[in-house]
Amino acid sequence: MYEADDKMISLIRDDYDLLQMLGSFGISLGFGDKTVKETCDDNDVDTYTFLAVVNYTANDYGTFEEDEKISVPTLLHYLEASHAYFLDFQLPYIRRELQESLDERESLAKLILRFYDEYAHEIRRHMKYEQKTLFPYVQSLIDGHPANDYNVDTFSKHHGAADNKLRELKLLIIKYLPQDGLHNNQLTATLHDIYENEVWLRQHAMVEDNIFVPAIRRLEQQAKQSDVTRNISDMVFKAGTGQNPDALSDREKDVIISLVQGMSNKEIADHLCISVNTVITHRRNIARKLQIHSPAGLTIYAIVNGLVDISSVKL
């Protein structure tokens, strides 16, 4: 497992495939003998998230369902850059390699190129969907204003690797390899690149499914908790700042304090030297003025408005 104080060059020496990953994280080459942490800090990359992706893809190390240290902004930037790399460079590059390796005048060559174009279209459609729908949704979660008509489970149900056409394409190429040396070498090199792409895509999908999706679920849960807190605060402060023109009397505040402390109507009556019927009347007036009817709601109101100290409340 790689750690923050390892030399960045050691990671690349062990696995050259990490070079492309560096680019997607926005890490520039020329880092000399700096450690992983120093290199990440220089490039404004979260070290923990970088190492999580590296160790998971290179060593199959890590579980992330409960991992709250993952930086979603860092991961989002990495995935967006990975998409740009694959769509704008890798897919067209392989297409050019195939064209140079095949004689397009032959029918089988045309079939191979058609298969590749269909595969490329499927991958492009899949990634464009994420760019148009998933990534903006995640950004809205980061910004604290999540969209209400989408969630990560919707994405997960439709997320899968588009590899059937790629499998057929590889078989066609293997069977089609020409006999002459030059084209054979070109096509073999292209086939090798296609296999490398398949590995890259599989790792990319694993990062999305096993690191990105759990991180989004945690953001969604935090957003739900924030909504509950915000709604409670709105309820309390609207009630206490003039939404209802009737302010609480001192006696009504005494009743609230007694209720929060767990007293029954009879105990409140004895404590305040009033009748039980008067206590009931006060409680009706409190509910009318504050629009709060539950003991839990009154407890929150009392804490927020300083009627009781939270340390004295049995939660």
Side-chain angles (χ1 to χ4, degrees):
M1 182 181 76
Y2 298 116
E3 298 181 349
D5 57 357
D6 289 334
K7 300 291 187 182
M8 182 66 84
I9 190 64
S10 299
L11 275 65
I12 306 303
R13 189 182 296 119
D14 291 346
D15 187 352
Y16 67 86
D17 286 336
L18 296 178
L19 280 170
Q20 190 279 319
M21 187 178 292
L22 292 182
S24 292
F25 271 108
I27 295 176
S28 302
L29 300 181
F31 37 73
D33 290 321
K34 290 181 180 179
T35 65
V36 171
K37 185 178 187 324
E38 290 171 337
T39 306
C40 287
D41 288 347
D42 287 347
N43 291 273
D44 297 321
V45 175
D46 180 70
T47 304
Y48 183 88
T49 305
F50 172 78
L51 284 171
V53 174
V54 168
N55 283 316
Y56 184 64
T57 56
N59 303 315
D60 195 22
Y61 180 88
T63 55
F64 306 96
E65 288 297 330
E66 304 297 330
D67 194 338
E68 298 181 356
K69 295 181 182 179
I70 294 293
S71 167
V72 178
T74 295
L75 203 52
L76 178 61
H77 177 271
Y78 164 74
L79 292 173
E80 288 176 326
S82 295
H83 280 204
Y85 160 79
F86 199 80
L87 295 179
D88 299 338
F89 172 76
Q90 198 64 16
L91 285 178
Y93 175 77
I94 296 293
R95 181 65 161 75
R96 288 195 300 272
E97 279 192 309
L98 278 174
Q99 282 182 300
E100 292 173 1
S101 305
L102 298 169
D103 185 350
E104 294 187 59
R105 293 171 298 181
E106 297 184 16
S107 58
L108 193 52
K110 293 178 182 179
L111 183 61
I112 289 175
L113 287 171
R114 192 184 78 187
F115 259 92
Y116 180 80
D117 289 340
E118 291 176 356
Y119 158 74
H121 174 76
E122 192 170 338
I123 291 295
R124 192 175 298 278
R125 180 179 59 82
H126 170 80
M127 288 189 172
K128 289 293 185 182
Y129 166 79
E130 293 182 15
Q131 292 173 334
K132 182 179 179 181
T133 305
L134 177 65
F135 292 167
Y137 169 69
V138 174
Q139 187 62 54
S140 75
L141 284 171
I142 294 171
D143 296 338
H145 306 290
N148 295 322
D149 57 348
Y150 191 79
N151 60 58
V152 74
D153 288 331
T154 303
F155 163 74
S156 296
K157 291 175 183 177
H158 301 92
H159 188 226
D163 59 358
N164 288 335
K165 284 187 171 61
L166 187 60
R167 192 175 298 112
E168 292 181 56
L169 174 65
K170 290 185 300 183
L171 290 174
L172 275 173
I173 292 175
I174 291 171
K175 292 178 180 180
Y176 181 71
L177 281 176
Q179 298 300 313
D180 64 283
L182 176 61
H183 285 87
N184 186 287
N185 290 338
Q186 288 179 333
L187 201 51
T188 300
T190 303
L191 183 62
H192 178 269
D193 288 341
I194 291 174
Y195 271 98
E196 289 287 316
N197 270 357
E198 187 177 25
V199 172
W200 184 91
L201 277 174
R202 188 182 304 114
Q203 291 177 339
H204 178 80
M206 288 168 58
V207 169
E208 287 186 328
D209 289 338
N210 299 313
I211 303 180
F212 194 44
V213 168
I216 299 171
R217 286 200 178 101
R218 287 193 298 275
L219 277 185
E220 289 176 336
Q221 187 61 35
Q222 292 170 8
K224 290 178 182 178
Q225 292 172 349
S226 296
D227 284 343
V228 170
T229 302
R230 187 161 46 249
N231 290 339
I232 291 174
S233 297
D234 289 346
M235 174 187 70
V236 171
F237 286 110
K238 285 178 181 178
T241 56
Q243 185 183 41
N244 192 307
D246 297 321
L248 294 178
S249 67
D250 289 339
R251 181 59 80 191
E252 288 166 344
K253 292 177 183 178
D254 290 337
V255 171
I256 290 177
I257 294 171
S258 300
L259 286 168
V260 169
Q261 292 174 343
M263 295 185 189
S264 65
N265 287 346
K266 178 68 167 60
E267 289 171 331
I268 295 173
D270 293 342
H271 175 65
L272 299 178
C273 300
I274 56 179
S275 69
V276 172
N277 286 337
T278 301
V279 172
I280 294 173
T281 299
H282 282 316
R283 292 189 65 171
R284 287 173 180 166
N285 290 336
I286 290 168
R288 175 180 58 81
K289 291 178 180 181
L290 300 183
Q291 293 300 300
I292 299 174
H293 303 276
S294 68
L298 288 175
T299 300
I300 294 171
Y301 176 88
I303 292 171
V304 172
N305 287 278
L307 299 183
V308 298
D309 187 87
I310 191 170
S311 61
S312 66
V313 177
K314 293 182 180 180
L315 300 175

